[in-house]
Amino acid sequence: MSNRLIHEPSPYLRQHAHNPVDWYPWGDEARERAAAENKILIISIGYSSCHWCHVMERETFEDQDAAALMNESFISIKVDREERPDIDAHYMNALQLITGQGGWPLNIFALPDGRAFYGGTYFPRDRWISLLTALRDQHRTDPGRLVEYALRIAEGIGDFKKNLLEPSLNVLETRSLEKAVEEGRRLFDLKRGGAKGAPKFPMPVWLRFLMAWSRLKGDGEARDFVLLTLDRMAGGGIYDQLGGGFSRYSVDPDWKLPHFEKMLYDNAQLISLYADAWKWTGKRRYARIVEQSMAFVGEFMTSPEGFFYSALDADSEGEEGRYYLWREEELKQILKEDFDFAARQYCIGEEGLLEKGQNILLLPQAPSEGSQDERTLEKIRRLLKGHRSKRSTPGLDDKALISWNALMIKACADAYDALGRKEYLRAGRRAADLILRECRKDDGTLYHAWREGRPYIDGFFEDYAYMAGALISLFQSSGQTVYLEEAVKLTDKSIELFYDPDHSVFFQHLRRRRLSAEGSGAEGQRPSFTQRSGGSQSLPSLPSDGEEPLRRSG
């Protein structure tokens, strides 16, 4: 059994192609049917490597009773947030107005014209069925109440956008940067690095800014904070100590336990960050992070043509993190006389111990460069990596996004500049040449995505901006002026397509796509369901949390 999603290029949508839910991809067909049949839209947004998206699919969207209720009383749409960042951003704004927080899976309930009136993130099966039943009954008895919710949320989104368009400083002044540093300093976790609390995200843009600031102003506290964060991330479970590459974030404050998905955009920016840190400090561990992470991208996230894939899943064989975790007895059998040394280095049975006897490998202190301990640990790393390669690998999202590829192209140039390895520059140039040849139309406009031998979806501003930046980096690294010339062309095209001179801002997407993403109702017009008489029923409460963290004990 399959639904309409079987024909979509997105790996995430195809993951749902065999659900009993009568899914539609985003488009006019679903909204027109909802209007014709007077039904609520369910707009469910996620991405292929999202752990809680998988959980909700298994628990809820594969359940026959939940699917029957969705099919009978609703029109259901699945959206890949990576393919359509415009749709995701719009409905994330709506969710944050409703709940004060966000996350994925992002599940929105909307009028047939797309205006949201209710939403949440992860719902277990029973709660989902209860919610759908309440909304169905509300729609039957008092649809005007849902319309009022939609109007209030649309008004809130409108106010948010107006605030964004308010005039701002035309010149970036030093005092503005000082204020940003002062405000950010309140968030410094001076014990563990990163921002205080949990979950912890790497936030490479913030760290690169602080790195530049500390060099510019001689700010010792900012320098110490950046280096602390780099060291703690490099030694934590968020970093794959065997194969290189970073997971998306850590659910705890110690960088220990990640959600195990690996995203191209994170790793690209972190490669650039650690390359800069190596040039800044000369600390060999940072160069090793760059080398191992570049090897990871080359092994797992590079297509035969030379594009860079989007993501590796958190799950394998139906379990999150299975590919990366180890039992102590397994390690003893593999390492034999080297086990005790590995246990000390990787904190096996100590800080690295999780629930059910599983260990995540940590490396809080790397051995000294050139030491016997370093050679022994490298032998152990290669041995364990070889054994791990026999496991079922996490699922791969093999679409190439132009914006994320551009970040990785820049990372290739940055890694080459730092370490001088020509294969890094070749990989970046190969990807850039492919994009300019295969993912650009005759009129100079870019596509957003590529998969299965063809480009698709018109490009967003991020595709143009990141690609222009990547081409400038390639020009600086290679000296080939053609890359600078192509960067100028893309910059000119982005100004033509996305710049709003009235407000001096660039929009993320084209005007025609803005309307389709935000609902077709005219501004100020009252959307409506067919009105029926009846009493009022309160909507059920939303979940108190967004994407729920895994709860493991050490």
Side-chain angles (χ1 to χ4, degrees), residues 74-246:
F74 300 83
I75 303 299
S76 302
I77 299 174
K78 257 290 166 198
V79 178
D80 182 337
R81 80 172 181 97
E82 297 167 357
E83 280 190 348
R84 294 302 302 265
D86 54 336
I87 298 169
D88 177 60
H90 177 73
Y91 287 116
M92 188 61 73
N93 285 338
L95 181 65
Q96 289 171 342
L97 284 169
I98 296 167
T99 69
Q101 56 191 353
W104 296 276
L106 168 56
N107 292 291
I108 289 290
F109 298 89
L111 308 183
D113 68 357
R115 299 197 193 200
F117 62 81
Y118 201 64
T121 52
Y122 161 74
F123 291 93
R125 171 203 179 268
D126 291 347
R127 193 166 187 181
W128 182 252
I129 288 177
S130 175
L131 173 62
L132 263 60
T133 301
L135 292 177
R136 179 199 62 191
D137 294 345
Q138 177 82 64
H139 173 41
R140 289 174 177 174
T141 59
D142 189 8
R145 187 175 177 84
L146 305 184
V147 171
E148 292 301 324
Y149 276 111
L151 284 170
R152 293 211 300 267
I153 293 168
E155 182 179 355
I157 292 174
D159 290 342
F160 171 74
K161 291 180 178 177
K162 288 176 185 176
N163 290 335
L164 287 179
L165 296 177
E166 287 294 319
S168 58
L169 287 174
N170 293 320
V171 178
L172 189 61
E173 298 175 341
T174 302
R175 178 55 194 154
S176 303
L177 299 177
E178 290 173 348
K179 184 178 180 181
V181 173
E182 290 166 6
E183 292 177 353
R185 213 182 294 271
R186 298 199 301 268
L187 301 175
F188 288 3
D189 184 336
L190 298 177
K191 179 180 178 182
R192 305 178 182 91
K196 293 175 182 176
K200 276 198 188 295
F201 290 84
M203 296 189 290
V205 174
W206 185 42
L207 293 173
R208 290 191 82 180
F209 164 66
L210 289 175
M211 189 186 300
W213 175 261
S214 67
R215 287 183 292 194
L216 176 68
K217 304 294 287 187
D219 188 329
E221 185 183 49
R223 173 191 166 92
D224 292 345
F225 170 74
V226 170
L227 296 181
L228 170 67
T229 303
L230 293 175
D231 290 340
R232 292 301 297 264
M233 289 195 300
I238 192 173
Y239 183 69
D240 182 354
Q241 303 297 338
L242 300 184
F246 289 84

Side-chain angles (χ1 to χ4, degrees), residues 237-519:
I238 192 173
Y239 183 69
D240 182 354
Q241 303 297 338
L242 300 184
F246 289 84
S247 296
R248 183 165 162 256
Y249 67 95
S250 171
V251 302
D252 65 281
D254 293 306
W255 304 105
K256 172 182 174 180
L257 179 63
H259 274 316
F260 289 89
E261 65 263 34
K262 289 181 175 178
M263 315 299 293
L264 179 65
Y265 64 87
D266 285 321
N267 282 283
Q269 293 177 94
L270 287 164
I271 288 169
S272 293
L273 174 67
Y274 277 89
D276 276 0
W278 155 246
K279 291 191 293 183
W280 184 29
T281 66
K283 188 171 183 178
R284 177 60 193 164
R285 188 175 195 182
Y286 299 157
R288 199 173 296 121
I289 294 290
V290 174
E291 292 168 340
Q292 291 175 351
S293 297
M294 287 294 296
F296 156 70
V297 171
E299 181 179 1
F300 289 99
M301 302 190 75
T302 304
S303 78
E305 300 86 354
F307 286 111
F308 299 113
Y309 295 137
S310 294
L312 273 183
D313 210 322
D315 298 10
S316 57
E317 300 181 64
E319 294 183 25
E320 186 187 10
R322 183 181 179 91
Y323 183 74
Y324 302 98
L325 302 178
W326 299 86
R327 295 186 180 279
E328 190 169 319
E329 288 305 314
E330 180 184 15
L331 292 170
K332 287 179 178 178
Q333 292 174 7
I334 295 170
L335 299 177
K336 298 181 173 57
E337 67 274 8
D338 286 327
F339 171 76
D340 288 340
F341 175 80
R344 290 193 301 273
Q345 292 290 315
Y346 287 132
C347 303
I348 297 163
E350 299 175 355
E351 293 95 332
L353 182 63
L354 308 175
E355 64 184 22
K356 300 180 182 178
Q358 298 181 105
N359 287 268
I360 189 166
L361 302 185
L362 310 174
L363 189 62
Q365 295 293 329
S368 301
E369 183 180 353
S371 66
Q372 180 59 46
D373 283 354
E374 184 184 53
R375 290 189 288 273
T376 301
L377 189 65
E378 178 61 17
K379 180 186 73 171
I380 290 169
R381 186 188 74 82
R382 292 180 181 276
L383 181 60
L384 291 179
K385 186 173 183 289
H387 275 267
R388 193 177 71 176
S389 68
K390 301 172 186 176
R391 298 177 178 178
S392 296
T393 54
L396 173 69
D397 188 321
D398 61 353
K399 68 177 181 295
L401 299 173
I402 305 310
S403 54
W404 296 8
N405 268 249
L407 291 172
M408 190 62 217
I409 292 167
K410 176 172 171 48
C412 290
D414 291 340
Y416 167 74
D417 292 342
L419 302 177
R421 295 181 59 167
K422 292 182 179 179
E423 65 268 28
Y424 297 162
L425 184 58
R426 283 196 296 268
R429 293 185 63 180
R430 184 185 180 200
D433 294 344
L434 268 171
I435 290 170
L436 294 174
R437 185 174 67 248
E438 303 289 339
C439 300
R440 186 167 55 168
K441 302 177 188 179
D442 292 340
D443 64 0
T445 58
L446 288 175
Y447 286 98
H448 175 62
W450 180 96
R451 187 169 188 261
E452 297 179 336
R454 68 179 184 88
Y456 63 104
I457 301 180
D458 287 342
F460 299 91
F461 176 63
E462 66 182 45
D463 298 304
Y464 292 78
Y466 289 151
M467 193 63 197
L471 291 170
I472 292 171
S473 293
L474 285 183
F475 163 67
Q476 292 171 327
S477 299
S478 70
Q480 298 296 309
T481 57
V482 63
Y483 293 122
L484 184 59
E485 293 165 359
E486 295 294 349
V488 170
K489 292 177 185 177
L490 287 180
T491 302
D492 289 342
K493 184 60 70 172
S494 68
I495 292 172
E496 173 191 334
L497 297 175
F498 302 101
Y499 185 63
D500 181 348
D502 294 333
H503 298 95
S504 300
V505 297
F506 287 90
F507 282 99
Q508 163 73 329
H509 41 89
L510 302 175
R511 176 63 181 169
R512 66 177 183 274
R513 192 186 280 155
R514 258 177 265 157
L515 291 173
S516 67
E518 299 172 9

